Amino acid sequence: MQFKNPEILYALFLLLIPILIHLFQLRRFKKTPFSNVAFLEKIIQNTRKSSSLKKWLVLCTRILALGLLILAFAQPFFPATETAVKPRETVIFIDNSFSMQANGKKGNLLTEAKQDLLTNLPQDERLTLATWNNAIKDFDPTTDRNLLLDLDFTGKTTNAESLLLRLNTYFANDQTTAKQLIIISDFQDIGLREALDTNQVAQHRVILQSATLGNYAIDSLSLQGTGERYNLNVMLRSSFPTQAELPVSLFNKDKLIAKASVQFKERDTASVNFQLDTDQAIAGKLSIADPDLRFDNDFYFSINKTNPLKVLAISNADDDFLRRLYKSEEYQFTTVFENQLDYGMLSEQNLIILNEPQKVPAELANLLKTHTQQGGALILIPAMDVPSSTYSNLLNTFGFSGFSEKSDLPQRITDINYDHPLYQNVFNGRSSNLQSHVVQTYFPLETTNSILSLENGAPFLTKINNLYVFTGGLNITNSNFINGQLIVPTFDKIAKTALSLPQTYYTLGTQNSFDINITIPEDAVVVLEKDNQQFIPLQEKQGNKIRISAKEGIEKAGLYALKFKNDTLATVAYNYNRSESKLQEVTLEPIKGISENSNIPDLLNTLEEETNLNFLYKWFVIFALLAFVLEMFILKKFK
């Protein structure tokens, strides 16, 4: 048994007062003469014994009654659970990801969760409310209700491990408190379904079920140029195979320019094509009508009219393969013989290719170094009929140790570093069947950053400080590399590292960067603007271009204008991640120590019952009254 007000127990010492009064009370007896003294002594003796017993009984009942009243005011109780008497720390995580837009019984799932919390949260308890992108500490359901009502959906989610680390920081480092974590979610996020190591924090999960699992979404798109037309292929997805026919609208800004209908034909994926003119910039939006989840009903993309990427080949050998590689309209290809090179041309180029030069003067090496420092790219294809020391000055300038003596032992190109940025998102799989690529002679080079490697482990293509180095010549006499499967993606990706133009679209929350060809004052900046609201992205000036990085800061999907002052340089499209578009029926595996609940009121009522204290003060008051009644009975019946 415990007491809510144990300090009142000190009042028990007051019970000593009636005891002392009883023990030290003095009575004076009046003398009365009687004729028969012997008879009088017997009566007095009997009266004294009866009076003494009565006084002791009255004293006991009074002490008992007062003691019981003091104990009643101390409020004795038995706790309902072991943690009932401990101070509580409660953190409630509310999933506000886009899948919570699905409709429940009282509207969307997020609205339903907010209403249930406001109705059922205890009014006298402070707690922490957390979402994917926000936290409200010391939340008071009465004064802070508007903060809860204002919680909105977000596409800014993380993995379950990162979420747990953040939620654990909201608990104090006090081992004497009872900690409990409540997770309210539809658990469409796979990571949230697993057990979370909460470091002795009691965990409760509330599984919110949507009324329907059906949903249609625009999943992705691809854009390919075919002469004077773009072929825009749009991929759509359904939560389940269906026969539905879905209209898809295409807008340029706010103007409807095309409309088509897509049929799923008992499948969960479908596609539709649009044709677009290549002679105009497009700030595009694709749209479908689906009332279930709305964040994936619109898909934004942009096509910018940009100047072609400038490629300069400084050649002393056949460069026909370079002409064929860079013949499209997105490139402006120029070739010069090394003895006719005008150094003034270098500053205007994005990519410079040294195609088997016979020499590289120190002045040229320094200019090429400056070119790469300003964001340009450089490719060295060595000539095999010159000494290895020919390129030592250039290689040393960029941080290489220089070529070793030429090796005449033919080697196959057998290994690709698929994790290198040059080959990321290039291949559908990882193949080791590269035996058709053969190099007759090459210059060994010491490096740990091989992109392509020979069968003996020596590098064939490597990179340092924006200098891409082939260790062997690419002419058909020395290698068949230019006729193989790697030539096109290799040179195309190298060129695009020199000037990474804005992509058709980006996904929010992923690392993304692009370049803009512009020269602005040193202290000036470019901004991203949407709906008259401006955001300054991370930007790095590199010569006559600026590299823009905008992973952080942009939280809403849409079309953003990249502007310098009042001039629009490009349109950049951002979309939400579509990972939550496919709704699934959730069945969680039972986990020991974690309670599962289907609604918020039941869980909160259960937790409230666990904190109940079985108070006994009523019984103590009743017994005190009985003691007073017993005292009255003694006073009346005993003479």
Side-chain angles (χ1 to χ4, degrees):
M1 186 172 66
Q2 301 181 45
F3 296 90
K4 184 176 181 181
N5 303 314
E7 63 277 4
I8 296 180
L9 295 177
Y10 287 109
L12 291 174
F13 289 107
L14 297 178
L15 298 179
L16 295 174
I17 297 176
I19 296 175
L20 293 175
I21 293 175
H22 174 80
L23 293 177
F24 296 100
Q25 183 180 19
L26 299 178
R27 291 182 176 270
R28 293 181 179 179
F29 296 95
K30 183 180 179 181
K31 294 181 179 181
T32 303
F34 282 90
S35 60
N36 193 339
V37 177
F39 177 73
L40 181 61
E41 288 177 352
K42 183 178 179 180
I43 293 176
I44 293 173
Q45 184 178 4
N46 291 337
T47 303
R48 285 180 176 177
K49 290 180 179 180
S50 176
S51 177
S52 177
L53 177 61
K54 178 180 179 181
K55 291 177 180 179
W56 279 109
L57 290 175
V58 171
L59 175 64
C60 290
T61 56
R62 287 177 179 176
I63 291 175
L64 179 61
L66 291 175
L68 289 173
L69 285 177
I70 292 172
L71 292 175
F73 279 104
Q75 296 192 41
F77 65 89
F78 289 108
T81 61
E82 293 182 0
T83 60
V85 295
K86 291 184 177 181
R88 283 203 304 177
E89 291 185 74
T90 303
V91 175
I92 301 178
F93 171 73
I94 307 173
D95 182 4
N96 62 334
S97 62
F98 287 126
S99 64
M100 293 285 284
Q101 291 180 358
N103 290 325
K105 298 178 182 179
K106 308 173 186 176
N108 64 60
L109 295 181
L110 180 59
T111 300
E112 181 179 325
K114 293 190 291 187
Q115 291 175 347
D116 286 343
L117 286 174
L118 287 175
T119 304
N120 297 278
L121 279 176
Q123 301 297 314
D124 57 347
E125 182 178 347
R126 292 298 179 94
L127 43 85
T128 298
L129 290 184
T131 64
W132 285 109
N133 61 330
N134 196 13
I136 307 173
K137 296 183 179 180
D138 294 327
F139 176 79
D140 187 331
T142 302
T143 60
D144 299 331
R145 59 181 293 115
N146 289 334
L147 296 178
L148 177 58
L149 292 173
D150 290 340
L151 291 180
D152 202 358
F153 301 99
T154 181
K156 191 177 181 180
T157 61
T158 59
N159 55 53
E161 291 76 13
S162 299
L163 172 64
L164 174 63
L165 290 174
R166 182 164 66 89
L167 294 179
N168 277 335
T169 62
Y170 300 140
F171 292 106
N173 294 324
D174 186 354
Q175 301 301 321
T176 63
T177 60
K179 301 176 176 61
Q180 57 186 15
L181 172 63
I182 301 174
I183 298 178
I184 303 172
S185 173
D186 59 353
F187 290 92
Q188 294 293 329
D189 188 297
I190 301 298
L192 289 179
R193 301 183 190 182
E194 305 298 328
L196 302 181
D197 181 12
T198 51
N199 192 21
Q200 306 207 351
V201 175
Q203 186 181 147
H204 310 275
R205 301 192 293 192
V206 180
I207 307 170
L208 302 181
Q209 297 284 358
S210 60
T212 176
L213 298 176
N215 180 54
Y216 300 101
I218 303 176
D219 184 70
S220 60
L221 61 81
S222 61
L223 186 69
Q224 295 179 343
T226 56
E228 297 181 354
R229 307 284 287 177
Y230 283 123
N231 181 37
L232 181 68
N233 181 259
V234 184
M235 294 295 300
L236 295 100
R237 185 170 61 184
S238 170
S239 294
F240 52 86
T242 178
Q243 279 280 12
E245 184 173 338
L246 193 66
V248 183
S249 302
L250 173 62
F251 295 86
N252 183 13
K253 296 183 179 178
D254 295 327
K255 180 181 178 182
L256 178 65
I257 59 175
K259 197 165 187 176
S261 182
V262 61
Q263 295 181 344
F264 283 89
K265 299 179 180 179
E266 289 298 335
R267 295 177 300 179
D268 58 0
T269 59
S271 64
V272 63
N273 290 315
F274 293 96
Q275 298 294 318
L276 302 172
D277 294 332
T278 59
D279 60 350
Q280 61 175 333
I282 294 179
K285 182 181 77 170
L286 292 157
S287 183
I288 60 174
D290 178 25
D292 293 308
L293 296 184
R294 299 182 180 180
F295 81 96
D296 52 15
N297 290 354
D298 295 327
F299 198 98
Y300 301 93
F301 69 96
S302 64
I303 302 175
N304 294 290
K305 300 304 293 181
T306 58
N307 296 324
L309 192 148
K310 296 182 179 181
V311 179
L312 172 65
I314 304 172
S315 298
N316 193 52
D318 182 17
D319 58 7
D320 184 60
F321 75 98
L322 295 175
R323 296 177 185 274
R324 287 185 279 111
L325 286 170
Y326 298 120
K327 67 179 181 179
S328 67
E329 294 181 354
E330 59 182 322
Y331 299 110
Q332 179 182 322
F333 180 76
T334 306
T335 182
V336 297
F337 290 109
E338 63 174 320
N339 56 3
Q340 299 177 355
L341 174 63
D342 179 5
Y343 286 178
M345 300 174 59
L346 301 180
S347 62
E348 302 175 358
Q349 309 303 315
N350 301 117
L351 170 63
I352 299 175
I353 304 173
L354 299 177
N355 183 26
E356 301 191 17
Q358 295 295 305
K359 59 181 179 179
V360 183
E363 182 182 1
L364 177 58
N366 292 331
L367 289 174
L368 293 175
K369 178 66 173 179
T370 302
H371 165 74
T372 57
Q373 289 175 339
Q374 294 179 346
L378 176 65
I379 299 176
L380 171 62
I381 305 172
M384 306 311 298
D385 58 352
V386 299
S388 60
S389 59
T390 302
Y391 306 108
S392 295
N393 184 47
L394 175 66
L395 295 174
N396 295 157
T397 301
F398 281 86
F400 285 108
S401 59
F403 288 137
S404 301
E405 292 301 321
K406 180 172 64 176
S407 173
D408 294 325
L409 182 63
Q411 295 284 328
R412 294 191 301 268
I413 302 173
T414 57
D415 294 315
I416 299 178
N417 184 357
Y418 289 99
D419 296 324
H420 193 278
L422 192 65
Y423 289 130
Q424 286 182 355
N425 303 321
V426 172
F427 302 101
N428 292 328
R430 298 196 174 195
S431 173
S432 59
N433 185 19
L434 299 173
Q435 297 182 359
S436 60
H437 295 78
V438 180
V439 179
Q440 300 298 325
T441 60
Y442 67 95
F443 291 117
L445 180 65
E446 292 185 6
T447 181
T448 58
N449 189 27
S450 295
I451 303 174
L452 296 175
S453 301
L454 304 175
E455 58 185 319
N456 63 355
F460 178 68
L461 173 62
T462 184
K463 174 203 172 186
I464 188 171
N465 296 328
N466 276 5
L467 168 62
Y468 294 84
V469 178
F470 288 91
T471 59
L474 300 187
N475 59 76
I476 58 175
T477 304
N478 190 63
S479 172
N480 63 350
F481 182 79
I482 62 176
N483 296 322
Q485 59 184 338
L486 294 176
I487 183 69
V488 174
T490 300
F491 276 82
D492 184 65
K493 288 296 291 289
I494 291 176
K496 289 180 178 177
T497 62
L499 184 65
S500 179
L501 298 175
Q503 297 179 9
T504 308
Y505 66 90
Y506 295 97
T507 301
L508 290 174
T510 60
Q511 185 64 48
N512 58 82
S513 61
F514 56 88
D515 300 331
I516 292 295
N517 255 333
I518 186 175
T519 302
I520 62 175
E522 187 64 28
D523 57 347
V525 295
V526 297
V527 298
L528 286 168
E529 182 178 279
K530 180 179 182 294
D531 299 332
N532 295 324
Q533 294 185 346
Q534 292 187 342
F535 162 70
I536 301 177
L538 183 65
Q539 48 199 279
E540 179 184 3
K541 297 181 176 67
Q542 299 177 339
N544 58 352
K545 74 175 184 180
I546 301 176
R547 171 148 294 183
I548 307 295
S549 299
K551 179 180 178 180
E552 302 294 336
I554 297 180
E555 298 183 357
K556 292 186 178 181
L559 295 165
Y560 289 78
L562 183 68
K563 305 182 74 172
F564 175 63
K565 296 183 178 180
N566 294 324
D567 297 329
T568 300
L569 308 177
T571 301
V572 190
Y574 292 94
N575 292 289
Y576 295 120
N577 192 302
R578 260 49 179 174
S579 60
E580 295 190 344
S581 295
K582 190 171 183 178
L583 299 178
Q584 306 175 54
E585 185 174 356
V586 177
T587 303
L588 299 182
E589 293 293 332
I591 300 176
K592 184 178 180 181
I594 298 180
S595 67
E596 294 182 5
N597 305 268
S598 59
N599 61 76
I600 296 173
D602 287 350
L603 172 62
L604 295 179
N605 289 336
T606 301
L607 295 179
E608 187 66 24
E609 290 175 359
E610 292 178 355
T611 62
N612 287 342
L613 304 178
N614 298 319
F615 285 103
L616 305 174
Y617 68 90
K618 293 181 180 179
W619 291 102
F620 281 84
V621 172
I622 292 173
F623 289 133
L625 292 175
L626 291 176
F628 282 123
V629 171
L630 181 61
E631 178 188 352
M632 294 175 64
F633 177 80
I634 293 172
L635 291 174
K636 181 175 286 189
K637 296 297 181 181
F638 284 84
K639 299 299 182 180

Coordinates of all heavy atoms in Angstrom, one line a residue, residues 253-293:
K253 N 2.5 24.8 -69.1 CA 2.1 25.8 -68.1 C 0.6 25.5 -67.7 O 0.3 24.4 -67.3 CB 2.4 27.2 -68.5 CG 3.8 27.5 -68.7 CD 4.1 28.9 -69.1 CE 5.6 29.2 -69.3 NZ 5.9 30.5 -69.7
D254 N -0.3 26.4 -68.0 CA -1.7 26.2 -67.7 C -2.5 25.9 -68.9 O -3.8 25.8 -68.8 CB -2.3 27.5 -67.0 CG -1.6 27.8 -65.6 OD1 -1.3 26.8 -64.9 OD2 -1.5 28.9 -65.3
K255 N -1.9 25.7 -70.0 CA -2.6 25.5 -71.3 C -2.7 24.0 -71.6 O -1.6 23.4 -71.7 CB -1.9 26.3 -72.4 CG -2.6 26.1 -73.8 CD -1.8 26.9 -74.8 CE -2.5 26.7 -76.2 NZ -1.7 27.4 -77.3
L256 N -3.9 23.5 -71.8 CA -4.1 22.1 -72.2 C -3.6 22.0 -73.7 O -4.2 22.6 -74.6 CB -5.5 21.7 -72.0 CG -5.9 20.3 -72.4 CD1 -5.1 19.3 -71.5 CD2 -7.4 20.0 -72.4
I257 N -2.6 21.1 -73.9 CA -2.1 21.0 -75.3 C -2.4 19.6 -75.9 O -2.3 19.4 -77.1 CB -0.6 21.3 -75.4 CG1 0.2 20.3 -74.5 CG2 -0.3 22.7 -75.0 CD1 1.7 20.5 -74.6
A258 N -2.7 18.6 -75.0 CA -3.1 17.3 -75.5 C -3.8 16.5 -74.5 O -3.7 16.8 -73.3 CB -1.8 16.5 -75.9
K259 N -4.6 15.5 -74.9 CA -5.3 14.6 -74.0 C -5.4 13.2 -74.6 O -5.5 13.1 -75.8 CB -6.7 15.2 -73.7 CG -7.3 14.6 -72.5 CD -8.5 15.4 -72.1 CE -9.1 14.9 -70.8 NZ -10.2 15.8 -70.3
A260 N -5.2 12.2 -73.8 CA -5.2 10.9 -74.3 C -5.8 10.0 -73.2 O -6.0 10.4 -72.1 CB -3.8 10.4 -74.6
S261 N -6.2 8.7 -73.6 CA -6.8 7.8 -72.7 C -5.9 6.5 -72.7 O -5.4 6.1 -73.7 CB -8.2 7.4 -73.2 OG -8.8 6.6 -72.3
V262 N -5.7 6.0 -71.5 CA -4.9 4.8 -71.3 C -5.7 3.7 -70.7 O -6.6 3.9 -69.9 CB -3.7 5.1 -70.4 CG1 -4.1 5.5 -69.0 CG2 -2.8 3.9 -70.3
Q263 N -5.5 2.5 -71.2 CA -6.2 1.3 -70.8 C -5.3 0.3 -70.1 O -4.2 0.0 -70.6 CB -6.9 0.6 -71.9 CG -8.0 1.4 -72.6 CD -8.7 0.7 -73.7 OE1 -8.2 -0.3 -74.2 NE2 -9.9 1.2 -74.1
F264 N -5.6 -0.2 -68.9 CA -4.8 -1.1 -68.2 C -4.9 -2.5 -68.6 O -3.9 -3.3 -68.5 CB -5.1 -1.0 -66.7 CG -4.5 0.3 -66.1 CD1 -5.3 1.4 -66.0 CD2 -3.3 0.3 -65.5 CE1 -4.8 2.6 -65.4 CE2 -2.7 1.4 -64.9 CZ -3.5 2.6 -64.9
K265 N -6.0 -2.9 -69.2 CA -6.2 -4.3 -69.8 C -5.8 -5.4 -68.8 O -4.9 -6.2 -69.1 CB -5.4 -4.4 -71.1 CG -5.8 -3.4 -72.1 CD -5.0 -3.5 -73.4 CE -5.4 -2.5 -74.5 NZ -4.6 -2.6 -75.7
E266 N -6.4 -5.4 -67.6 CA -6.2 -6.4 -66.6 C -4.7 -6.4 -66.2 O -4.2 -7.5 -65.8 CB -6.6 -7.8 -67.1 CG -8.1 -8.0 -67.2 CD -8.8 -7.8 -65.8 OE1 -8.1 -8.1 -64.8 OE2 -10.0 -7.5 -65.8
R267 N -4.0 -5.3 -66.2 CA -2.7 -5.2 -65.7 C -2.6 -4.0 -64.7 O -3.6 -3.2 -64.6 CB -1.7 -5.0 -66.8 CG -1.6 -6.1 -67.8 CD -0.6 -5.8 -68.9 NE -1.1 -4.6 -69.7 CZ -0.5 -4.1 -70.7 NH1 0.7 -4.6 -71.1 NH2 -1.0 -3.0 -71.3
D268 N -1.5 -4.0 -64.0 CA -1.4 -2.9 -63.0 C -0.5 -1.8 -63.5 O -0.2 -0.8 -62.8 CB -0.9 -3.4 -61.7 CG 0.5 -4.1 -61.8 OD1 1.0 -4.2 -62.9 OD2 1.0 -4.5 -60.7
T269 N 0.0 -1.9 -64.8 CA 0.8 -0.8 -65.4 C 0.2 -0.6 -66.8 O -0.3 -1.4 -67.4 CB 2.3 -1.2 -65.5 OG1 2.4 -2.4 -66.2 CG2 2.9 -1.4 -64.1
A270 N 0.4 0.7 -67.3 CA 0.0 1.0 -68.6 C 0.9 2.2 -69.0 O 1.5 2.9 -68.2 CB -1.5 1.4 -68.7
S271 N 0.9 2.5 -70.3 CA 1.7 3.7 -70.8 C 0.9 4.4 -71.9 O 0.0 3.8 -72.6 CB 3.0 3.2 -71.4 OG 2.9 2.3 -72.5
V272 N 1.3 5.6 -72.2 CA 0.7 6.4 -73.2 C 1.7 7.3 -73.8 O 2.7 7.7 -73.1 CB -0.5 7.2 -72.7 CG1 -0.1 8.2 -71.6 CG2 -1.3 7.9 -73.8
N273 N 1.7 7.6 -75.1 CA 2.7 8.5 -75.8 C 2.1 9.8 -76.2 O 0.9 9.8 -76.6 CB 3.2 7.7 -77.0 CG 4.1 6.5 -76.6 OD1 4.9 6.7 -75.7 ND2 3.9 5.4 -77.2
F274 N 2.9 10.8 -76.1 CA 2.6 12.1 -76.7 C 3.7 12.6 -77.6 O 4.9 12.2 -77.3 CB 2.4 13.2 -75.5 CG 1.2 12.9 -74.7 CD1 1.3 12.2 -73.4 CD2 -0.1 13.4 -75.0 CE1 0.3 12.0 -72.6 CE2 -1.2 13.1 -74.2 CZ -1.0 12.5 -73.0
Q275 N 3.3 13.3 -78.6 CA 4.3 13.9 -79.5 C 4.4 15.4 -79.3 O 3.4 16.1 -79.2 CB 3.9 13.6 -81.0 CG 3.9 12.2 -81.4 CD 5.2 11.5 -81.3 OE1 6.2 12.1 -81.7 NE2 5.3 10.3 -80.8
L276 N 5.7 15.9 -79.1 CA 5.9 17.3 -78.8 C 6.9 17.8 -79.8 O 7.9 17.1 -80.3 CB 6.5 17.5 -77.4 CG 5.6 16.9 -76.3 CD1 6.4 17.0 -75.0 CD2 4.3 17.7 -76.2
D277 N 6.7 19.1 -80.2 CA 7.7 19.8 -81.1 C 9.0 20.0 -80.4 O 9.0 20.4 -79.2 CB 7.1 21.1 -81.6 CG 5.9 20.9 -82.5 OD1 5.8 19.8 -83.1 OD2 5.0 21.8 -82.5
T278 N 10.1 19.9 -81.1 CA 11.4 20.1 -80.5 C 11.9 21.6 -80.5 O 12.9 21.9 -80.0 CB 12.5 19.2 -81.2 OG1 12.5 19.6 -82.6 CG2 12.2 17.8 -81.0
D279 N 11.1 22.4 -81.2 CA 11.5 23.8 -81.4 C 11.0 24.7 -80.3 O 11.1 26.0 -80.4 CB 11.1 24.3 -82.8 CG 9.6 24.3 -82.9 OD1 8.9 23.7 -82.0 OD2 9.1 24.8 -83.9
Q280 N 10.5 24.2 -79.2 CA 10.0 25.1 -78.2 C 10.2 24.5 -76.8 O 10.3 23.3 -76.6 CB 8.5 25.4 -78.3 CG 7.6 24.1 -78.2 CD 6.1 24.4 -78.3 OE1 5.7 25.5 -77.9 NE2 5.3 23.4 -78.7
A281 N 10.4 25.4 -75.9 CA 10.6 25.0 -74.5 C 9.2 24.7 -73.9 O 8.2 25.4 -74.2 CB 11.3 26.1 -73.7
I282 N 9.2 23.7 -73.0 CA 7.9 23.3 -72.4 C 8.0 23.2 -70.9 O 9.0 22.6 -70.4 CB 7.4 22.0 -73.0 CG1 7.1 22.1 -74.5 CG2 6.2 21.4 -72.2 CD1 6.7 20.8 -75.1
A283 N 7.1 23.9 -70.2 CA 7.0 23.7 -68.8 C 5.8 22.8 -68.6 O 4.6 23.3 -68.5 CB 6.8 25.1 -68.1
G284 N 6.0 21.5 -68.6 CA 4.9 20.6 -68.7 C 4.3 20.0 -67.4 O 5.0 19.9 -66.4
K285 N 3.1 19.6 -67.5 CA 2.4 18.9 -66.4 C 1.5 17.9 -66.9 O 0.6 18.2 -67.8 CB 1.6 19.9 -65.5 CG 1.0 19.2 -64.3 CD 0.2 20.2 -63.4 CE -1.1 20.6 -64.1 NZ -2.0 21.3 -63.1
L286 N 1.6 16.7 -66.5 CA 0.7 15.6 -66.8 C -0.3 15.4 -65.6 O 0.1 15.5 -64.5 CB 1.4 14.3 -67.0 CG 2.3 14.3 -68.3 CD1 3.4 13.2 -68.1 CD2 1.5 14.0 -69.5
S287 N -1.5 15.2 -65.9 CA -2.5 15.1 -64.8 C -3.6 14.0 -65.1 O -4.0 13.8 -66.2 CB -3.2 16.5 -64.8 OG -4.2 16.5 -63.7
I288 N -4.0 13.4 -64.0 CA -5.0 12.4 -64.0 C -6.0 12.8 -62.9 O -5.7 13.5 -62.0 CB -4.5 10.9 -63.8 CG1 -3.8 10.8 -62.5 CG2 -3.6 10.5 -65.0 CD1 -3.4 9.4 -62.2
A289 N -7.2 12.2 -63.0 CA -8.2 12.4 -61.9 C -8.4 11.2 -61.1 O -8.9 10.2 -61.6 CB -9.6 12.9 -62.6
D290 N -8.0 11.2 -59.8 CA -8.2 10.1 -58.9 C -8.4 10.6 -57.5 O -7.5 11.3 -57.0 CB -6.9 9.2 -59.0 CG -7.0 8.0 -58.0 OD1 -8.1 7.6 -57.7 OD2 -5.9 7.5 -57.6
P291 N -9.5 10.4 -56.9 CA -9.8 11.0 -55.6 C -9.1 10.4 -54.4 O -9.1 10.9 -53.3 CB -11.3 10.8 -55.5 CG -11.6 9.6 -56.3 CD -10.6 9.5 -57.4
D292 N -8.5 9.2 -54.6 CA -7.9 8.5 -53.4 C -6.6 9.2 -52.9 O -6.6 9.7 -51.8 CB -7.7 7.0 -53.8 CG -9.0 6.3 -54.0 OD1 -9.9 6.4 -53.2 OD2 -9.1 5.7 -55.1
L293 N -5.6 9.1 -53.6 CA -4.3 9.8 -53.3 C -4.1 10.8 -54.3 O -4.0 10.5 -55.5 CB -3.1 8.8 -53.2 CG -3.2 7.7 -52.1 CD1 -1.9 6.9 -52.2 CD2 -3.4 8.3 -50.8

